[in-house]
Each structure stands twice: as C-alpha cells, then as structure tokens.
Amino acid sequence: MNAVAAFAWSVVQDSLHRKVFYAILAFTFILILLVPLLPSADIGVQIDLLREASLGLTSIMAFVLAVILGSTIIPREREKRTLYNTLSKPVSRWQYYLGKFTGIVVVVAGALLMTYVVILLFVLIKFGVFNPGMAKALFTILLEAMVLVSVAMLASVFYSPLVCVMLTALFYVVGHVKGDFLYRAMTDSANDPATRAISGVAYYVLPNLERLNINETIAHSERMFSVGATELLLLIGLAAAFTAILLFVGGYLFSRRDL
Amino acid sequence: MQGMETVLRIEDLRKDYAGGWRKPSRPALSGLHLEVPRGSITGLLGPNGAGKTTTLKCIMGLIRPQAGRIWLFGEEATDARSRRRMGFLPEQPYFDFYLTPRKLLSYYGRLAGMDPSRIRTKTSYVLSLVGMGDEADLAMDKFSKGMLQRIGLAQALLSDPEFLVLDEPSSGLDPLGKIQVRDLLNSLRDGGITILLSSHQLSEIEEVCDGVAIIHKGGNVASGSLDDMLRSREEYEIDLEEPTSAAWDELPGSASWADAAHMRVVVSKKSLNEALKALMGSGASIAEVRQRRMTLEEYFLEKIGREGWEVGE
Ligand SMILES: Nc1ncnc2c1ncn2[C@@H]1O[C@H](COP(=O)(O)OP(=O)(O)OP(=O)(O)O)[C@@H](O)[C@H]1O
Ligand SMILES: [Mg+2]
C-alpha cells in the first residue's frame, strides 16, 4: 500500500476513535427521526418536508465533519509531535497532505452513506416511497464538503483549529450568498468604488456554493427542475476545480513549512 | 564530490526561527559544521538551547535552514529519497494513544514502503530489541515516558536504516534502560550502522561515542575524537589510603586537592615525583597513581565556561 493510502487510512482509523464523530452522527439521526414532529399545514407536503429537512440536516452534518476534521488534523499532529515520526519516513509532504485530504473525504462519504440509508429507510417506512434518487443530493453535499475540507486544510497549515473553523465558515457563508449579495454589491453604483472592487474580485474568485445545493429540487422529487447527467458533471467540474486549486496551494505551502 | 566515507556532512548551516508577531527572529544556528564518518557513533553535545534539535530537524528535512549545505550519502539533499536509508528518533516521541505498538509500527512500515511480511517480522524483532516485546499489543495510553522512548527507538530501527539520527536517545530511561540503549547502539555500530545522537548528558556521550561535536549557541565549539580531546592535559592523580592534610606545605605548586576529603591529589607530570616524595615523606600511604583523563564535564567547562551552561538568552 503506498504512502497516500496509508495516510488516508490513518484518518479513517483516527476518526473511528474520536467520540465527536459518533456524537455528530447520532445527533443527526435523532434529528432526522424527529422531523415528522414538525407542524405542517398540508398532509400532502409531509414527504417533501421530511426529505428537505433531512437533506438540510445531512448537509450540516457533512459540513461540520468536514470542517472539524480539516481544521484539526494538521494542527493536532503538530502539537502532539506525531508529524515528526511520520514525516521523517521516506514520504513527501505532498503525500501526507493528499493522503489526509483523501482520508477526510472518505470519512465524510462514509457518514453520508450511513445517513442515506437512514433517510431511505425512514421515507420508505413512513410513506411507503422508495426514493434512491436522493443519492444525487448527498453526492453534491459530498462535493461541497470536499471544497470545504480543502479550505480548512489550507488554513490549518498556518492557523489554529478555531481560526480555521471561523475562516471556513466565512468562506461557506460568502460562497452561498455571493450569487445574490456580492453581485448586487458589485453592480450597485451607489456603493463606493473600493467596496465594488472587493465584491467584484470575491464574486469572480469564490465558487458559487449555492449551485452545489440541490436539496430543494431533490426534496420535491425533481418535479420542477430535474438534475441530469450534464448538470451533475458541471457540478463535479466546479467542485473539482476549486478543490484542486486549494489543495495545490495548501500542499505547496505545507511542503515549505517548518515543522 | 564527497567520499563515501562521510555519511553526513554539514557546512555553514544557518537557521533563524521567526519571532512571531512583531518580534525579531532569533538565530538558532549560526554557521554550523558537522561531519559524520561511516560506521561511527558521533555525539552532538551542547547545553539546552544550543541548537541540537534544530540541527537534526534540518537533516531530516523537517525544517528549512536559511543557508548552508547538507550532504547525505554524498548527495546534497534532505528529501524522501535520502530518508529511505535513515531512521529518526525525535525528541520526546509521542504517538496516537489508541494504537498498539504493533499497529503503530505497521503504519510506519507502510510509510517506509516495506511489504507486509517484512513489517511483521521486523516489528517483533525491533520491539524485542528495545525490550518492549511483551507490550506489543497493549494500547499505548498507559505507557510511561520511558516506554514511549523505547517505542520511538523501535520505529527508528524498523526499516533497517544505514544511518540513525537520534535526538536524546536515553532521555527518560531508567539506569538499566540506559545501559541497554548503550549496548544496543554499540552492537548497531558493530553491524556497520552509522549513528548521530544528540545529548546534553555528558556521561552518555562519553560512554558510546567515537567522536563528538560540541556546539553552543548554534556554533561549533570543538570537535574530534574523544580520546584526543580528553587526554589533552598532562596530569596525574594520586589516590591516598587515608585523608591527610599534613603534607600540603611540602607539595609542589602545581598540586591541588581533587576532593574535599583530601584523599586525591592532582599534579602535573613535571612535578609527579616531587609530589610523591613529599606525600610519602609525610607518612601518607599511596593507593594508586594514574594519568588523568578529563571528564567531558571538565572539558566543557574549560571550553565554554560555567556561564555557558546557562540557557542562552
Ligand atoms: N519552533 C521554534 N520556534 C522558535 N524558536 C525555536 C523553536 N525551536 C527552537 N527554538 C530556539 O532555537 C534554539 C535552539 O533550540 P534547540 O531545540 O535546537 O536546542 P537543543 O540544543 O535541542 O536544546 P535541548 O537540549 O533543550 O533539547 C533555542 O534558543 C530555542 O529557543
Ligand atoms: Mg533538543
């Protein structure tokens, strides 16, 4: 097994020994099971409500996991000095960085898979509807989680976990409101030029994360819009491009960092 | 072109650590030289903060020096390829506690590119070598400091390195453990392995090292073979059977008491006979006379002075 795979596997092992991993999973499952208790006006929309709320909860779970793991792995290994053991082996820092990233993505994917099974069974038992197409929404959640992991890891090359979490949260918020908010800030001639310039740069540089959010469409059984192969490929391309850039910058900085 | 006789060669190594927000950077190494001949045990000796760990981290590619050159196995590089032939014990090694030593070493073995069957046999072998054979399958959260140090040694030895770099190998070990490590290092050297170890424990270096490099505040103080360094003064020690102070006035000017109990006289070679005569004349009985070899402590104090031991500002 090569070094990247060994590093990735170490993340999986490590997560399985962290209580926070199980706590987040259990919490998500419990909340999903409680969704039907929400008051809803119309019996007919109950299934859509359940699907939408579950997918919302699942997104939050995946993003929290992504950000926690991405923000803590490198700082923790630096602080505990276990980095000295691993990086004094005949491996490159790039292998370490990519391996840890891969491991985090595998852990998030595993958590999403488990949640998928829970939602699928729950919808089936409650409404008698078998709805495997929801996998598409979970897949785009994974794509967005990948982007967030690469942001958090890039920050964690230099900053402490708390700062990384805050920076990634900021990235998340800006990435979701940019389509709307930044566009207006950039084009509104009432704003001063500096604000417009900064908004403009942010608008074109940051990914539009909202595009990766197809929860609503999927929750409504794609009645209004449908998510086809082209759309999915586009989303994969968007996420892959940003992840690759962030990983490249992060890996480069990490490979030059004093440990 | 470097000869094959030198496993490690360092020239004019400089390293400043960034001082952080609005603080000046601090020099940790200021032009260090070091040479480690093949098949030897070389000691890097210096007080706390001298730059030993910094030097070893540069060799392992964990930090980047601002200037200077490092050759490993005749090539100027500190990359993954040179590390393939090396083993490293970091200062105060630490591990993920949920792992057992066996699982930990299997992870490290995979990083070193070893195949599974070799990892299995080598793991058992190195763990027994460091006296941790019985603890191979216990979770490490209950391990003491000395036990972690032994695991650290085991992981450094795992992939049959040609060149071992050990940062304070016997730190945290009990007296028996220190002796075991000393014997282990000696037998590794006899097997052809080159070793560079750092220490501020003078006795440890004195007992195992063929050569030492003494560093202080990031620069070289002295280096060479221990025997040459320590036999540099022509002095003799005279041990007495019983304490005496009677003969003091008759002793030659170069003589001095080496102990408070007045049982050992130190005297220069020139006045050895004169001193012996005076002592015997005063009725003292002599137990032993021998040539004096400085302890490393004395050598160090002579070279950098007592203040040198204080941690640099
Ligand atoms: N990460 C760091 N950041 C800033 N300064 C550092 C760092 N590591 C070491 N230093 C400084 O560099 C100098 C050399 O430290 P180093 O750890 O190499 O000493 P040492 O010889 O290993 O000491 P010891 O015997 O205590 O282990 C010290 O003045 C120390 O304060
Ligand atoms: Mg040190």
Side-chain angles (χ1 to χ4, degrees):
Chain A
M1 191 155 59
N2 83 30
V4 175
F7 281 126
W9 182 238
S10 77
V11 176
V12 177
Q13 290 266 297
D14 187 53
S15 307
L16 295 179
H17 284 90
R18 285 214 219 176
K19 288 196 191 75
V20 64
F21 176 72
Y22 299 100
I24 290 173
L25 269 187
F27 193 63
T28 309
F29 293 166
I30 290 170
L31 287 181
I32 289 175
L33 298 182
L34 292 179
V35 167
L37 298 181
L38 287 176
S40 65
D42 187 351
I43 290 293
V45 300
Q46 270 193 355
I47 180 168
D48 286 9
L49 179 78
L50 172 60
R51 282 193 294 226
E52 190 169 347
S54 313
L55 289 175
L57 288 166
T58 308
S59 313
I60 295 172
M61 173 210 71
F63 300 159
V64 166
L65 262 183
V67 173
I68 288 183
L69 291 173
S71 302
T72 52
I73 281 183
I74 294 177
R76 240 169 48 127
E77 286 221 59
R78 272 164 53 86
E79 193 184 331
K80 295 204 300 180
R81 300 188 305 277
T82 48
L83 266 185
Y84 297 153
N85 307 329
T86 48
L87 292 179
S88 60
K89 301 287 176 290
V91 295
S92 73
R93 303 252 183 119
W94 283 99
Q95 288 174 313
Y96 176 91
Y97 199 82
L98 295 179
K100 294 287 174 176
F101 170 80
T102 310
I104 298 174
V105 172
V106 168
V107 169
V108 175
L112 282 172
L113 196 65
M114 282 188 263
T115 322
Y116 179 56
V117 172
V118 168
I119 299 176
L120 216 54
L121 287 176
F122 195 39
V123 171
L124 181 64
I125 291 165
K126 188 114 178 105
F127 299 98
V129 177
F130 183 60
N131 193 192
M134 282 202 299
K136 283 192 269 189
L138 278 91
F139 180 69
T140 60
I141 293 174
L142 181 63
L143 290 180
E144 182 168 353
M146 269 167 58
V147 178
L148 295 180
V149 172
S150 56
V151 172
M153 278 185 72
L154 169 57
S156 79
V157 173
F158 294 103
Y159 301 113
S160 67
L162 190 63
V163 177
C164 298
V165 169
M166 292 192 304
L167 286 174
T168 316
L170 187 69
F171 175 90
Y172 174 85
V173 171
V174 175
H176 275 278
V177 301
K178 70 160 260 183
D180 202 19
F181 178 79
L182 285 180
Y183 185 76
R184 263 187 285 137
M186 174 178 73
T187 47
D188 189 348
S189 51
N191 285 334
D192 65 278
T195 312
R196 291 180 61 182
I198 293 170
S199 316
V201 170
Y203 182 80
Y204 286 111
V205 167
L206 292 172
N208 186 349
L209 294 178
E210 196 51 42
R211 291 213 55 177
L212 289 168
N213 181 0
I214 58 168
N215 290 355
E216 214 173 318
T217 309
I218 298 295
H220 295 110
S221 309
E222 305 179 49
R223 281 193 294 267
M224 322 264 207
F225 309 101
S226 75
V227 182
T230 340
E231 174 78 2
L232 279 178
L233 277 177
L234 193 76
L235 296 180
I236 291 174
L238 174 75
F242 274 98
T243 306
I245 293 168
L246 290 161
L247 281 180
F248 182 77
V249 175
Y252 176 77
L253 293 173
F254 182 66
S255 71
R256 301 176 60 85
R257 174 108 170 76
D258 277 356
L259 298 174
Chain B
M1 187 62 211
Q2 295 293 306
M4 280 312 290
E5 289 311 295
T6 309
V7 169
L8 167 71
R9 183 187 175 87
I10 292 180
E11 270 178 20
D12 201 26
L13 198 65
R14 286 165 199 277
K15 175 71 192 171
D16 296 339
Y17 282 112
W21 179 243
R22 303 181 72 171
K23 287 191 212 111
S25 66
R26 286 159 39 116
L29 298 177
S30 41
L32 194 86
H33 294 263
L34 184 66
E35 209 159 298
V36 176
R38 179 173 296 277
S40 72
I41 302 183
T42 302
L44 191 60
L45 177 67
N48 293 134
K52 303 181 294 292
T53 299
T54 304
T55 308
L56 301 188
K57 281 187 187 170
C58 288
I59 298 169
M60 297 312 299
L62 294 169
I63 56 178
R64 296 157 59 91
Q66 270 83 18
R69 310 175 73 177
I70 300 177
W71 285 270
L72 281 162
F73 309 103
E75 278 179 51
E76 191 173 358
T78 53
D79 56 11
R81 208 156 50 92
S82 50
R83 286 197 293 274
R84 192 164 290 284
R85 300 158 74 179
M86 297 164 69
F88 178 55
L89 167 71
E91 191 171 35
Q92 299 171 350
Y94 198 90
F95 310 100
D96 282 320
F97 277 166
Y98 60 83
L99 291 171
T100 64
R102 200 184 297 282
K103 288 197 178 128
L104 180 86
L105 292 188
S106 120
Y107 171 40
Y108 289 163
R110 269 179 292 156
L111 294 183
M114 298 163 69
D115 62 61
S117 68
R118 178 147 165 264
I119 292 176
R120 266 195 302 280
T121 49
K122 285 297 292 184
T123 295
S124 306
Y125 175 68
V126 294
L127 284 176
S128 66
L129 213 53
V130 299
M132 295 293 288
D134 294 338
E135 287 85 1
D137 296 304
L138 301 179
M140 288 192 286
D141 56 354
K142 304 273 162 21
F143 278 17
S144 69
K145 191 172 152 211
M147 289 160 92
L148 291 176
Q149 183 78 9
R150 288 163 192 253
I151 301 298
L153 273 170
Q155 60 86 31
L157 293 168
L158 185 66
S159 59
D160 287 318
E162 287 168 57
F163 180 31
L164 268 178
V165 177
L166 311 174
D167 202 348
E168 308 204 14
S170 55
S171 127
L173 295 184
D174 54 30
L176 183 60
K178 285 186 183 162
I179 294 174
Q180 288 169 340
V181 166
R182 199 170 72 208
D183 293 345
L184 176 62
L185 296 185
N186 276 322
S187 74
L188 289 168
R189 186 241 334 255
D190 294 343
I193 293 172
T194 311
I195 300 171
L196 172 64
L197 63 89
S198 84
S199 179
H200 49 88
Q201 274 177 334
L202 309 162
S203 57
E204 173 184 2
I205 291 231
E206 196 168 9
E207 279 158 3
V208 310
C209 293
D210 307 304
V212 301
I214 298 180
I215 69 170
H216 180 46
K217 291 188 177 165
N220 294 73
V221 174
S223 58
S225 108
L226 265 182
D227 279 346
D228 293 348
M229 279 189 202
L230 302 181
R231 252 197 278 105
S232 58
R233 272 203 284 176
E234 297 274 279
E235 280 187 333
Y236 283 81
E237 278 175 354
I238 305 168
D239 281 3
L240 304 176
E241 294 279 13
E242 279 165 19
T244 175
S245 51
W248 180 247
D249 290 340
E250 277 126 90
L251 284 175
S254 71
S256 60
W257 291 107
D259 60 340
H262 290 189
M263 286 186 65
R264 178 175 295 171
V265 180
V266 178
V267 71
S268 70
K269 185 176 183 178
K270 230 174 40 223
S271 35
L272 177 63
N273 280 305
E274 200 185 330
L276 284 172
K277 243 181 269 165
L279 283 167
M280 277 150 73
S282 75
S285 78
I286 287 161
E288 198 183 335
V289 179
R290 62 175 172 270
Q291 189 180 10
R292 184 147 184 261
R293 189 178 188 255
M294 265 199 267
T295 64
L296 214 40
E297 277 93 342
E298 287 169 311
Y299 183 83
F300 208 97
L301 288 181
E302 190 182 284
K303 276 286 185 185
I304 68 172
R306 196 165 285 280
E307 316 78 57
W309 267 137
E310 311 292 321
V311 176
E313 274 302 288

